[in-house]
Amino acid sequence: MQLDSRQLAAFAAVLREGSFEAAARSLHVTPSAVSQRIKALEERLGRVLIRRASPCVATEAGESLQRHAQQLQLLEAQALAPFGMTAASASAAREAQEALPLAIAINADSLATWFVPALAALRERHEVCLDLHVEDQDHSSELLRQGRVLAAVSAEPTPVQGCRVSPLGRMRYLAVASPAFMRRHFADGLDDAALAAAPCCSFNQKDQLQARFLRQLSRRRLNPPQHRVPSTHGFVHAALHGLGWGMNPEALVAPLLASGDLVEIAPGRALDVPLYWQRWSLEAEVLKALGDAVAAAARSGLRPMRTPPSAGVAD
């Protein structure tokens, strides 16, 4: 069965932009045209592919087609890339064509620290439009499985089916609080009673860093009061203002520790989270360039792996 390229493009645009109206603007057509193309594609395949919500999301049947549509876009961009041009003419050609959309899953702490230079380096070489999905590193690989992204920074070392994985490095987290918070809650030390009563901050329901750190400090299962602070920089500010202690990226809090505005609640204790780069196994120049840029940024912004594992591929 041969699929209509315009229908696939409309399908991918709706999921990328989140609505039929936004997809129409990106494709320079009317919302009615987008709706008709999606309807024709669904009738041809005999399945509902898009759940009409806000934002629109792929149904289970649509997830595999979403991945196929994104792969076709990459392959088409690869086939139409200019050959034998000077740097100036190649740059002009890239500016003249529509930017290639790239969907990437990234955890908030990496986005706030070391990851953005990789995106800037990629933009120097390729005309792309970045679609970043902020997701916890322990869950980002699920977006790859669903076909919603083509690459992800993940804590999962085992490659998702159809993807390849390579190690990036370790992100170090430190448990920090304000000096006033320490005097109020831990004046007599970090015993189980104090740790169970002192409030901590968590990013969201998926954030397990504080719980993992508590398991380093106590054999008991502790459940202290929690503030939900879904912002990397807000997390630092919450610690500064004494709302609670929390696990913060070393790169963000090092200056505040040096100035004394923050202190470690357990000096000498840290939590290292190994990070990996997972991407589709598709051989596309832009994916290779993205991987190279991410690896270079990770070498500058992350601690090296203690025992670097070998790269793997899952077909």
Side-chain angles (χ1 to χ4, degrees):
M1 178 187 297
Q2 187 172 1
L3 299 177
D4 186 283
S5 61
R6 294 189 306 166
Q7 294 171 4
L8 276 177
F11 170 75
V14 169
L15 295 178
R16 182 177 67 251
E17 303 295 336
S19 71
F20 283 63
E21 292 75 13
R25 288 193 296 270
S26 72
L27 296 174
H28 308 294
V29 298
T30 65
S32 176
V34 171
S35 180
Q36 290 172 12
R37 293 175 190 180
I38 298 299
K39 182 179 179 180
L41 182 62
E42 290 179 327
E43 289 177 348
R44 181 170 177 78
L45 295 177
R47 301 284 185 89
V48 175
L49 302 172
I50 293 177
R51 187 174 294 112
R52 276 70 167 174
S54 183
C56 292
V57 294
T59 63
E60 185 176 352
E63 287 177 358
S64 60
L65 188 64
Q66 183 178 15
R67 179 167 177 158
H68 175 69
Q70 291 188 75
Q71 288 177 341
L72 283 180
Q73 285 182 318
L74 284 173
L75 291 172
E76 184 179 78
Q78 180 90 343
L80 296 178
F83 296 97
M85 291 185 174
T86 64
S89 60
S91 176
R94 286 197 300 270
E95 291 296 330
Q97 67 185 21
E98 292 187 6
L100 176 68
L102 294 183
I104 305 166
I106 177 71
N107 60 306
D109 291 338
S110 290
L111 184 59
T113 51
W114 64 272
F115 191 72
V116 170
L119 304 180
L122 178 69
R123 282 279 299 172
E124 290 293 322
R125 296 180 56 189
H126 293 272
E127 185 65 20
V128 297
C129 185
L130 299 162
D131 181 14
L132 301 182
H133 296 242
V134 176
E135 181 57 276
D136 185 273
Q137 64 272 1
D138 291 321
H139 300 269
S140 56
S141 58
E142 183 59 28
L143 299 185
L144 277 169
R145 293 186 181 93
Q146 296 171 357
R148 294 173 59 189
V149 300
L150 53 82
V153 172
S154 171
E156 188 173 328
T158 303
V160 172
Q161 185 175 7
C163 295
R164 60 183 58 186
V165 61
S166 56
L168 292 173
R170 295 175 292 134
M171 175 167 276
R172 173 156 292 183
Y173 287 86
L174 301 177
V176 299
S178 69
F181 183 92
M182 293 294 293
R183 290 191 296 269
R184 179 179 178 183
H185 293 280
F186 298 130
D188 297 325
L190 272 68
D191 57 28
D192 287 353
L195 288 169
C200 67
C201 296
S202 65
F203 194 86
N204 55 29
Q205 291 179 332
K206 299 175 182 178
D207 180 9
Q208 294 297 310
L209 292 180
Q210 286 67 224
R212 288 168 59 184
F213 190 75
L214 286 173
R215 288 196 293 269
Q216 290 186 8
L217 302 180
S218 173
R219 295 181 179 180
R220 290 179 53 196
R221 186 178 181 86
L222 304 176
N223 188 29
Q226 289 189 26
H227 302 295
R228 294 273 164 77
V229 185
S231 161
T232 295
H233 290 93
F235 219 78
V236 176
H237 292 156
L240 280 169
H241 290 278
L243 288 181
W245 68 271
M247 306 302 298
N248 283 271
E250 179 183 39
L252 288 183
V253 298
L256 297 169
L257 290 171
S259 68
D261 292 316
L262 289 175
V263 295
E264 294 186 62
I265 70 168
R269 297 287 190 99
L271 190 63
D272 286 351
V273 177
L275 296 177
Y276 302 85
W277 180 242
Q278 295 232 28
R279 73 162 180 90
W280 293 347
S281 297
L282 194 66
E283 294 300 329
E285 172 60 27
V286 68
L287 279 183
K288 182 180 184 304
L290 174 60
D292 291 344
V294 169
R299 285 193 294 271
S300 298
L302 297 176
R303 290 174 174 261
M305 293 287 194
R306 286 194 175 91
T307 305
S310 58
V313 177
D315 295 320

